[in-house]
Structures are given as structure tokens and as C-alpha cells.
Amino acid sequence: MVLFAVPLVFAELAKTRVSPARLQQAEAKRHAHDRARCLCAGLALDACLCTVGLREREVKIRRDVHGKPFLAEHPQLHFSISHSGEWAVCVLDEAPVGVDIERIRPIHTRRLAKRCFGLSETMTPCEFFDRWTRQESFLKATGIGLSGLHQTPGPGWQFRTYPLEGYSLTVCSKTGAFTPTLSVFSDGDIALPR
């Protein structure tokens, strides 16, 4: 498994490294911040794919019947992308995998916790977003989407939270073979362990 985080400051660089389809997808976004997130998500995928000798601009990405993206010519590889705030992240593995990142911010946690998780206790924003990213990473790994919000992960699914200041970042894996570190994309394609 490999996990990359790309700060949005690399949006301009991403334009030179991602596929025409990703560029077109980004340009269709209304707001500059959303365009940057889309581009950096592609750059995060490219960084992951480089570890197995592939490039984002050379692979064909399709969607299954539930809308989950997959690599059409490399079905043995599974990936998941997420973005929030100033970061885009991607995880790549040989087994089903999902990732979710959320910027921790003040919210009405009691009301949301009850609505989203059926919980009535008071949760801090950090606790809420840790729970949220856990559930979202599972939904992305399985491809069932938000319709499975109240579905509980079955046996075999494992989770790991990675540190990224001000954010909750969780990976869900069928194998539990987690990478020990989050790699952060930096100038010169150097991955710095976190």
C-alpha cells in the first residue's frame, strides 16, 4: 500500500502531470479552490501510480455501476482519492481500499452525530471527523456510497488513522497491510515521511 498527500500549492505543477481528462474535469469546476483540489487529487494518484511504474495520464479510469473509479487495464490495483481544505490524498493497494480526509472544523456535533451515526452523546469535532472519515473510507473501499452510511463494516475490514495537523485522515483496507507512513508530495517529487 502507498498513501500520498498533496498540498494544494502544487495545483499549477499538477497541470503538467495529469491527464487531459483530469484537466478537463478540473476546468469544469466553478471555483478555483475546487479546480485545485481536482488537479492535486490527480497528482496524488500520479504519485501513487509512479511507485508501480504507471502514470495517471497513461491509465484509463472507468467507473463501476455504483460510480466507484477503477483502473480499466490494471484490475489488480485499487485506489481511492479524497480531498478537503488544503489537501488531496490518494491510496493505492492490491486489495480493496478507501481513504477519506476531512478538515476538522467547528460543527454542531451533537445534532450531526445523532443524524449520521445514531449517537446522542456529545462529540468533539475531532471525534466526529475521526468517526466520519472511518465510515467514509469504508464506503469508498466497498463502493457502496452514502447509501451505506448506516452500514457497519463487516469482518475483515481494518482501519488506520494517519496524522495530518488539523485534519482527520483514515484509510480502510481489506487486508490491513497498511503503509507505516503518510508520504507528502513535495517539490522535486520527493516523498517525505510523516
Side-chain angles (χ1 to χ4, degrees):
M1 175 185 298
V2 62
L3 174 63
F4 268 93
V6 176
L8 296 193
V9 297
F10 289 108
E12 284 301 314
L13 174 66
K15 288 180 181 179
T16 67
R17 303 222 179 151
V18 298
S19 65
R22 173 70 63 172
L23 283 170
Q24 186 176 23
Q25 183 183 1
E27 287 305 314
K29 305 287 183 192
R30 187 177 196 176
H31 302 287
H33 217 71
D34 293 331
R35 288 190 293 275
R37 285 186 186 124
C38 182
L39 290 166
C40 288
L43 187 56
L45 176 58
D46 188 57
C48 286
L49 289 171
C50 280
T51 67
V52 294
L54 300 171
R55 298 304 302 262
E56 187 271 349
R57 64 179 171 256
E58 297 168 352
V59 297
K60 290 186 176 107
I61 298 174
R62 302 285 186 254
R63 294 190 178 271
D64 68 14
V65 294
H66 302 290
K68 182 179 178 179
F70 66 95
L71 301 171
E73 297 166 340
H74 303 280
Q76 76 283 10
L77 295 174
H78 301 261
F79 75 96
S80 179
I81 294 172
S82 184
H83 47 71
S84 179
E86 298 299 317
W87 291 92
V89 295
C90 180
V91 63
L92 179 74
D93 199 11
E94 293 178 352
V97 67
V99 66
D100 193 48
I101 184 172
E102 289 292 335
R103 184 176 58 81
I104 298 170
R105 57 199 181 275
I107 57 167
H108 297 289
T109 54
R110 185 178 187 99
R111 185 173 39 193
L112 277 173
K114 183 171 179 144
R115 193 170 114 212
C116 296
F117 304 116
L119 303 174
S120 60
E121 77 256 17
T122 302
M123 298 175 87
T124 67
C126 188
E127 291 168 331
F128 175 82
F129 285 112
D130 282 350
R131 183 95 180 242
W132 181 267
T133 59
R134 179 183 166 93
Q135 188 69 21
E136 273 288 309
S137 67
F138 168 69
L139 298 177
K140 288 180 177 186
T142 60
I144 58 178
L146 287 176
S147 63
L149 185 61
H150 297 289
Q151 185 172 336
T152 305
W157 291 103
Q158 298 179 43
F159 301 87
R160 178 160 180 187
T161 300
Y162 290 85
L164 190 61
E165 189 175 341
Y167 291 80
S168 179
L169 171 59
T170 305
V171 173
C172 175
S173 166
K174 190 66 171 172
T175 65
F178 295 103
T179 183
T181 59
L182 167 65
S183 296
V184 177
F185 185 89
S186 66
D187 222 357
D189 290 339
I190 298 169
L192 302 174
R194 295 284 299 192

